Amino acid sequence: MNDESTGSEALIQAGASSRPSLPRAARGERFAPRAALVTGASRGLGAALARELARQGAKVVLVARERVALEAVAAEIAAQGGEAHALAADIGDKGQTHAIAGAAAALVGPIDLLIHNASTLGKTPLPILLDTECEDLGRVLEVNVVGPFRLTKVIAGAMALRRRGVVVHISSDASVNAYPRWGAYGASKAALDHLSRTWAAELEGTGVSFYAVDPGEMNTRMHAEAIPDADPSTLADPADVARRVVGLVGRAGEVPSGARVEAARLPEAP
């Protein structure tokens, strides 16, 4: 085994050795994101997160493939006095990763909050695993796991250098429970949860916190595509979930990095 540290390991060790004597939470400080990047922000929870973050004063970059819907959300936020920028891109396309990160930083400055909300169910109606095409599984993993991994690689190092940042992975109860026909999606979210925990372990002491949040069942188009017979009145409002996720972000450092939490158990943002 080589005892020499790689460049990234040296960065982490330097960050850990220079950490302040008390964490932010112990000093009575809340984490107030200045520049946020939210994927899957053209609708549902992603759009609600962008609205809430802008309401809290963050400059927000919205990423999704659907340009028209994305620009409508950004325009809505701007009309209410917030700052939001639409960036049409595919998180599952490796060739777009650096372009997304670079454009986001150019628009709002160094990203200190990254929320991985974009995801895909794969084919609907959801098939059992025996009927799931390998290519369809690959696409689900590419969007739900590999894409977030690539974007975090590009952004988290700079967060560590600045000793400031939060990364949130939007998870699912399908990551811990085996539901028939949810195999591809559930496997991708389980992998995403573990990535979040590993990022947290490897970047401990750098000032960057990682969280996986199970939003619960929400009244969204994705839920309707998966379970068309569900009663919308029994589902959570994405705006309520967004307030709880943003509340968690504000408590970064108080909640241990690497935690997996259920949104329904979180308090709302003030």
Side-chain angles (χ1 to χ4, degrees), residues 231-249:
D231 180 357
S233 67
T234 66
L235 306 176
D237 182 347
D240 173 66
V241 176
R243 287 190 292 270
R244 295 174 187 276
V245 174
V246 174
L248 170 67
V249 170

Side-chain angles (χ1 to χ4, degrees), residues 170-179 182 185-194 197 212-214 260:
I170 300 301
S171 182
S172 167
D173 69 330
S175 72
V176 294
N177 296 299
Y179 299 120
W182 288 78
Y185 183 81
S188 72
K189 291 299 184 178
L192 190 67
D193 282 359
H194 197 66
R197 289 189 291 268
V213 180
D214 175 1
R260 183 186 187 280

Side-chain angles (χ1 to χ4, degrees), residues 107-123:
L107 288 166
V108 298
I111 300 298
D112 57 5
L113 172 62
L114 172 59
I115 300 184
H116 293 296
N117 172 72
S119 63
T120 180
L121 291 167
K123 281 191 174 180

